[in-house]
Amino acid sequence: MKSILRINHFFIMALLITLSLNSYADPALYKIEKNGVNSYLFGTVHVGNASMKGLPDNVINAIDQSDEIIVEVDISKLTPLQMQQRSMPLMMLANGKTLKTELTQQNYNKLKDYFAKKSIDIAMFNGLKPWAVMVTMMQIEFQNAGYSDKIGIDKQVLAYAQANKIKIGELETLEQQLQIFDNTASLSNDMIEETFKQLADIDTYFIQLVNAWKSGDTKMLTHYYNTSFNNTPYGKASEQAMLIDRNNNWVKKLTPRLKNEKLFIAVGALHLPERHGLIKQLKDEGFSVTRL
């Protein structure tokens, strides 16, 4: 589930956008400070390829200076079986509904053709919610492009924390994260259409995003944010459910802790920018947020 880049995050404040982006060669890392207490904020991507193995030195140094790592969901504590047992009930349709009843005939046929070309029978997905099918499609395409969630940056952060016996905390549960998709269930057809649009131009909707993350190019991340979360009903609904609501909840949890604890916060990169992003909200709470 973590491979969905839309569950992941956004721009940067006007000051950072106006800086020379060429002055940064690494993913963006921020220091959060108030009353002499320092923490760190790191935007991640949830999938990676071979070129993304290994955390940058400045990120490792920041982790080493922190008392606890905070991630969206601590999947390191779950076995694959536990992940399946906890996620499948939330992915399944109920009350006699099927994938075909939830989509227009046109979109269902698109999905049927898509999977047929990959020698997959769409009947395998008849009991799944449309968003769960969309996740499967994205995973297939990411893998075809050479990316895997096994090399995702958040997983690398978790692995480093485990290896160095650093405490790990989470901002939400696996169930809470998956239930986010149900908030846009009424727009399932729009979601499927948007997914096919993205898959038809994976360079714009994925490769450029990853490259922007690698280089710390916040201008490109902002462009991606605006491209993905536009003014369509689905764009607005998905932005609200996947980013704005979650950011608001996270800031409420983090604000009191950041005043006294040294935390390393690693969340999807698109959660950082824009007026509802973590950077802006933490500044509004009186914290100094500086890019390193």
Side-chain angles (χ1 to χ4, degrees):
M1 301 310 140
K2 303 281 291 181
S3 65
I4 301 192
L5 293 176
R6 279 179 169 273
I7 292 186
N8 298 8
H9 319 60
F10 315 76
F11 332 32
I12 351 182
M13 312 179 16
L15 175 61
L16 292 177
I17 292 177
T18 59
L19 294 175
S20 171
L21 295 170
N22 292 330
S23 64
Y24 299 106
D26 291 315
L29 174 68
Y30 298 86
K31 182 172 73 171
I32 306 168
E33 190 273 333
K34 189 173 185 178
N35 298 328
V37 180
N38 294 328
S39 291
Y40 298 91
L41 178 62
F42 183 46
T44 70
V45 288
H46 300 313
V47 295
N49 61 15
S51 71
M52 298 164 67
K53 288 183 179 179
L55 296 171
D57 289 341
N58 63 339
V59 171
I60 291 176
N61 292 335
I63 293 175
D64 289 341
Q65 295 175 41
S66 304
D67 297 325
E68 182 176 347
I69 286 178
I70 304 294
V71 294
E72 295 179 25
V73 176
D74 180 12
I75 57 176
S76 67
K77 65 184 181 182
L78 301 175
T79 66
L81 178 59
Q82 289 173 327
M83 285 275 288
Q84 182 180 20
Q85 290 174 334
R86 290 174 60 174
S87 62
M88 284 305 295
L90 299 170
M91 298 168 65
M92 302 300 295
L93 290 164
N95 302 320
K97 295 180 180 179
T98 67
L99 183 63
K100 194 169 186 177
T101 65
E102 297 305 289
L103 298 175
T104 63
Q105 187 64 49
Q106 181 180 13
N107 282 333
Y108 182 82
N109 288 339
K110 279 185 180 180
L111 286 177
K112 185 177 181 179
D113 291 343
Y114 171 85
F115 287 114
K117 290 176 181 178
K118 301 181 183 301
S119 300
I120 301 173
D121 188 348
I122 196 172
M124 293 177 56
F125 308 104
N126 278 345
L128 291 182
K129 295 176 181 178
W131 67 258
V133 179
M134 181 267 289
V135 170
T136 301
M137 296 169 63
M138 300 296 278
Q139 288 175 331
I140 290 173
E141 297 302 327
F142 293 159
Q143 290 173 4
N144 289 342
Y147 290 82
S148 169
D149 63 340
K150 294 180 180 179
I151 317 175
I153 303 304
D154 45 347
K155 281 194 174 180
Q156 293 189 53
V157 169
L158 287 170
Y160 185 87
Q162 287 184 312
N164 292 274
K165 296 180 172 55
I166 301 172
K167 185 179 179 182
I168 300 172
E170 59 184 6
L171 291 166
E172 54 198 16
T173 66
L174 176 65
E175 287 81 1
Q176 288 172 329
Q177 190 168 89
L178 294 180
Q179 286 168 347
I180 293 167
F181 294 102
D182 287 337
N183 294 333
T184 59
S186 63
L187 297 169
S188 292
N189 281 292
D190 302 80
M191 178 197 66
I192 293 298
E193 291 168 7
E194 179 67 17
T195 300
F196 275 111
K197 176 183 175 182
Q198 292 193 17
L199 295 184
D201 189 4
I202 197 168
D203 182 70
T204 296
Y205 287 95
F206 177 61
I207 304 299
Q208 289 185 23
L209 170 65
V210 174
N211 289 337
W213 176 86
K214 288 181 180 179
S215 62
D217 188 341
T218 53
K219 186 175 181 179
M220 180 55 73
L221 289 174
T222 300
H223 172 73
Y224 178 85
Y225 184 102
N226 289 322
T227 300
S228 297
F229 300 101
N230 52 32
N231 287 324
T232 64
Y234 177 68
K236 292 180 179 179
S238 58
E239 179 187 24
Q240 187 70 44
M242 298 179 184
L243 294 169
I244 297 175
D245 290 345
R246 296 169 74 202
N247 287 352
N248 294 343
N249 290 334
W250 294 353
V251 169
K252 289 178 182 178
K253 293 181 178 181
L254 291 170
T255 297
R257 298 192 62 186
L258 288 169
K259 295 176 182 178
N260 305 296
E261 302 176 60
K262 295 184 291 183
L263 306 176
F264 182 92
I265 305 161
V267 296
L270 292 182
H271 284 287
L272 273 58
E274 258 310 305
R275 62 193 181 99
H276 297 292
L278 298 182
I279 293 174
K280 174 65 164 59
Q281 292 205 48
L282 289 173
K283 284 193 170 185
D284 289 344
E285 293 292 334
F287 293 93
S288 169
V289 184
T290 308
R291 183 166 178 176
L292 299 178

